[in-house]
Each structure stands twice: as structure tokens, then as C-alpha cells.
């Protein structure tokens, strides 16, 4: 199947999110309504691993008709409290990308932006059919890290997920959506078979398994807009401002990288 696939990117699902997560959160009621829209449209949610496996070997890993991906980043507690029951009601698969240093428990670095999941809740999500993927350990901008720190972020995340769940994660999502050729190569070397960016476009096989695009779902996403996104309509118009900001910030990040390399060379 070469048809582009909508990959929805969620963060917190919360009735009263804090200021740090409000813009990228959705209310429980909105999430339930959006999942009902997917069912009404005849969409069939699959995991990140299943989509990537199909695009690698279409003949051996068939997809259902009109697939869609439901993904969550970071690991907010509301994914267990509010999203899991709705997913179970509809029989929907999903993928949760966890920043392992933000999950409550022995690996917690205290960096979580709001109330985060604990590992028992992550295990319950996995048992409920949610694929658990990696999202780094401390959620940094990976393309700004030196090689050793980048590798540590990837490997520590992978090893913690494997140790807590008894299964090695095969999918990854870049924190903030930022990556580079170097970052993508290290994600592959760390053993992740596919990775998601943001991009605010439909995912296509031609993007390659380590740069698949997603569509941001926000608290401000109206029902009509959500339906258009799932159907692949008016995406460029909806995310025009996001794309302009992303291009501008990409230039800033590249300038920072060049400056750091120059400093290391002088030293």
C-alpha cells in the first residue's frame, strides 16, 4: 500500500492540564469524540511497528483498509486514565512513546512537565494493545547533543523500556520532532527499526522508516478540523504557521551546531 497514512500525534489527555502542557493537550471529551470520528469514517488504527513492517514487506505484513496511527508522546498519566478506556471501547491500537526519565519510578529524573505515568500503568497500556516505543531518556533536542550524550539518551531509553516491560522497543519518536542525518543514523544503530518526526504532513513510504511525518492534535483542534486532517484535506493551510516556525528554528539549530563544532576545533 503506497497511499499516505495519517499519523496523529497526541501528548496529554487531561481535563485540567497545567500551563506547560495545555496547548498540546486534549480534553478527555475531545479525545473520545475524535475516536468516534475515526470509527465513523471507517478508519482502522494500527501501531507504528505494523505500518513500518508493511512498508518494508507489503506482501508479508498486510494492513487493514484505511489505516490510521494514534500516537502519544512523553508519557502523561491521562493516557492511562482517559485514553486507554476509549481505545479499548473501540478496539483501537495505538503507540505510546515514553521519555523514560519522566516516568514515575526509580529512573525518574524529575523532568516531567505534568503528572506522568508510572511503570505499572505503562505495563497496563502495553497489555491493552498499546505499542510502547522510545522517546529518549530526558527529552532533549537530540540534534544538539554530542555523540556520546546522544548515544546514552537512546540506549538508556531502550534498556529501561526493555527492563521494565520485558520487550525491546522497536519504534522511536524524536523529542520535539527534531532530528538530523546523524541522529537518524544513531537511532538506527541503537536498534530502533523505525522513527517518527512531526512535519505536520501525512506519512508516506518514500519518507523512509526514520522520518515518518505526523499530524499534531491540539486543544484548539476543532472537530471539523480533525476530520479534515484524518482525510488528508487542507493540511498545508492548517499547519502553515507551524511549518514557517519550524523552518526558522531549523536554521537557528544548524547555526548553533556550526558554532559548537568551530569551538571544539579551536580547543
Amino acid at each position: 500500500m503506497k497511499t499516505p497514512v495519517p499519523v496523529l500525534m497526541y501528548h496529554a489527555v487531561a481535563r485540567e492540564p497545567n500551563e506547560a502542557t495545555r496547548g498540546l493537550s486534549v480534553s478527555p471529551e475531545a479525545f473520545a469524540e475524535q475516536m468516534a470520528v475515526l470509527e465513523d469514517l471507517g478508519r482502522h488504527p494500527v501501531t507504528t511497528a505494523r505500518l513500518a513492517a508493511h512498508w518494508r514487506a507489503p506482501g508479508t505484513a498486510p494492513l487493514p483498509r484505511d489505516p490510521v496511527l494514534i500516537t502519544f508522546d512523553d508519557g502523561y498519566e491521562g493516557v492511562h486514565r482517559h485514553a486507554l478506556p476509549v481505545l479499548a471501547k473501540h478496539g483501537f491500537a495505538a503507540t505510546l512513546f515514553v521519555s523514560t526519565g519522566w516516568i514515575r519510578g526509580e529512573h525518574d529524573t524529575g523532568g516531567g512537565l505534568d503528572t506522568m505515568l508510572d511503570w505499572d500503568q505503562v505495563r497496563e497500556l502495553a497489555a491493552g494493545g498499546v505499542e510502547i516505543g522510545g522517546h529518549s531518556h530526558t527529552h532533549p533536542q537530540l540534534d544538539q547533543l554530542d555523540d556520546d550524550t546522544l548515544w546514552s539518551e537512546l540506549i538508556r531509553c531502550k534498556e529501561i523500556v526493555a527492563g521494565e516491560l520485558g520487550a525491546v522497543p522497536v519504534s522511536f519518536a524524536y523529542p520535539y520532532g527534531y532530528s538530523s542525518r546523524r541522529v537518524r543514523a544513531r537511532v538506527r544503530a541503537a536498534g530502533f527499526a523505525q522513527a517518527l518526526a512531526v512535519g505536520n504532513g501525512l506519512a508516506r513510504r518514500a519518507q523512509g522508516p526514520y522520518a515518518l511525518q505526523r499530524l499534531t492534535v491540539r486543544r484548539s483542534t476543532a472537530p471539523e478540523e480533525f476530520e479534515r486532517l484524518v482525510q488528508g484535506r487542507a493540511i498545508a493551510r492548517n499547519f502553515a504557521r507551524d511549518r514557517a516556525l519550524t523552518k526558522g528554528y531549523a536554521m537557528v539549530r544548524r547555526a548553533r551546531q556550526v558554532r559548537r563544532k568551530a569551538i571544539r576545533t579551536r580547543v
Side-chain angles (χ1 to χ4, degrees), residues 26-215:
V26 297
S27 71
E29 294 78 15
F31 182 77
E33 182 177 358
Q34 290 162 2
M35 296 303 100
V37 167
L38 294 183
E39 184 162 295
D40 289 345
L41 291 175
R43 288 286 176 171
H44 296 88
V46 299
T47 63
T48 303
R50 186 173 178 187
L51 174 66
H54 170 76
W55 276 345
R56 282 191 175 90
T60 59
L63 287 179
R65 177 179 52 85
D66 295 329
V68 63
L69 270 64
I70 303 163
T71 70
F72 302 90
D73 281 8
D74 303 345
Y76 298 100
E77 191 269 345
V79 176
H80 179 274
R81 179 188 299 269
H82 301 298
L84 181 57
V86 177
L87 295 171
K89 172 186 174 182
H90 292 281
F92 285 173
T95 304
L96 166 67
F97 297 102
V98 294
S99 293
T100 49
W102 286 14
I103 302 300
R104 288 181 289 145
E106 64 175 300
H107 315 291
D108 191 353
T109 64
L113 299 181
D114 206 335
T115 303
M116 309 304 293
L117 295 162
D118 62 32
W119 284 106
D120 284 341
Q121 292 171 320
V122 175
R123 281 186 280 272
E124 289 179 15
L125 283 157
V130 176
E131 177 193 4
I132 308 300
H135 197 44
S136 79
H137 185 57
T138 65
H139 202 281
Q141 297 178 24
L142 296 179
D143 60 344
Q144 300 297 300
L145 302 181
D146 61 59
D147 287 342
D148 289 344
T149 307
L150 170 60
W151 187 248
S152 176
E153 282 284 339
L154 299 175
I155 291 300
R156 192 169 186 195
C157 173
K158 177 184 174 182
E159 289 179 347
I160 289 173
V161 172
E164 292 288 348
L165 303 185
V168 176
V170 296
S171 302
F172 189 84
Y174 306 109
Y176 307 102
Y178 302 149
S179 71
S180 64
R181 183 178 297 177
R182 176 180 67 102
V183 170
R184 292 189 289 274
R186 298 309 278 168
V187 167
R188 180 175 182 173
F192 292 100
Q194 52 272 331
L196 298 179
V198 181
N200 286 314
L202 297 175
R204 292 174 165 81
R205 186 181 182 185
Q207 292 162 1
Y210 293 95
L212 297 174
Q213 294 189 12
R214 293 188 285 175
L215 301 164

Side-chain angles (χ1 to χ4, degrees), residues 17-23 113-114:
N18 63 14
E19 287 305 312
T21 61
R22 178 173 297 277
L113 299 181
D114 206 335

Side-chain angles (χ1 to χ4, degrees), residues 196-267:
L196 298 179
V198 181
N200 286 314
L202 297 175
R204 292 174 165 81
R205 186 181 182 185
Q207 292 162 1
Y210 293 95
L212 297 174
Q213 294 189 12
R214 293 188 285 175
L215 301 164
T216 307
V217 184
R218 300 184 172 93
R219 207 166 191 84
S220 60
T221 302
E224 299 79 9
E225 179 185 355
F226 179 82
E227 185 168 339
R228 287 196 299 270
L229 294 181
V230 173
Q231 294 175 325
R233 297 187 289 117
I235 290 175
R237 183 173 72 247
N238 284 337
F239 293 110
R241 182 173 180 274
D242 298 76
R243 290 177 174 177
L245 290 173
T246 297
K247 289 180 180 178
Y249 197 41
M251 294 176 64
V252 171
R253 295 201 313 279
R254 283 195 293 270
R256 288 175 180 170
Q257 289 175 310
V258 170
R259 186 163 58 250
R260 281 198 296 273
K261 288 179 181 178
I263 292 172
R264 287 198 296 269
T265 300
R266 288 199 298 272
V267 172

